Amino acid sequence: MTKKPELLGADDVEKTIVDEYLNLIDLEILPNSRAITYLLTGRVPCESQHKLNVIVTELKKRLEHYNKVLDGRDFLLGSSISLADIQLATHITFFLSFVVNAQWRNKVLNLMNWFYRVTSLDGHYESVFGKLKLNTKVLQAPKPPKVVKKKDDKKLSLIH
């Protein structure tokens, strides 16, 4: 019988480390990842490509840090998967799939190997998110709709 991993950590020290990672991911990764997703899907209008580029650059820096952390490790805690691994992989899936190109992904091989490892375990990830595909073409933010004033009743309307 194989032992199932303790997703929250096997002892008090590991539980503290997992909790710390969960907090860091919520503070450092999630806001940028969410902003990028909203801007690229048109959920929030992207006023300028520069705004998007700044957010992408910040998230890249954060993920380059995780690339260093994962050097010589299979998972964030070392040899076993934790909730922190699952949370981080979930939050960066869209980013890795649609925002960065293969050239950048090749610079963070520890992160990418870890990502494939986490997303392939037991098929659970695929059952929730579908088959993972990393695109070669980077998505661009949709142009915001133009606001036009009507002369007769001075109401605003959106033109796509």
Side-chain angles (χ1 to χ4, degrees), residues 38-90:
Y38 287 175
L39 291 168
L40 288 177
T41 58
R43 189 169 181 181
V44 173
C46 186
E47 291 86 25
S48 72
Q49 188 65 37
H50 175 71
K51 176 181 178 180
L52 179 61
N53 291 344
V54 168
I55 299 169
V56 168
T57 300
E58 180 61 30
L59 188 52
K60 281 181 178 179
K61 282 188 220 173
R62 302 286 183 189
L63 293 178
E64 287 166 0
H65 168 74
Y66 281 95
N67 185 61
K68 290 176 188 170
V69 168
L70 289 163
D71 189 24
R73 296 183 186 182
D74 289 336
F75 301 101
L76 290 172
L77 283 183
S79 61
S80 64
I81 191 167
S82 70
L83 185 58
D85 293 291
I86 296 166
Q87 182 177 2
L88 180 59
T90 302

Side-chain angles (χ1 to χ4, degrees), residues 135-154:
N135 291 334
T136 55
K137 185 178 178 184
V138 175
L139 284 181
Q140 297 298 313
K143 295 192 186 312
K146 294 180 181 179
V147 177
V148 179
K149 279 188 175 181
K150 289 185 178 181
K151 291 180 182 181
D152 54 344
D153 60 0
K154 297 186 181 186

Side-chain angles (χ1 to χ4, degrees), residues 110-125:
N110 296 329
L111 179 76
M112 293 309 300
N113 289 333
W114 163 87
F115 182 74
Y116 290 128
R117 194 174 303 110
V118 170
T119 57
S120 65
L121 286 177
D122 299 328
H124 297 300
Y125 184 90

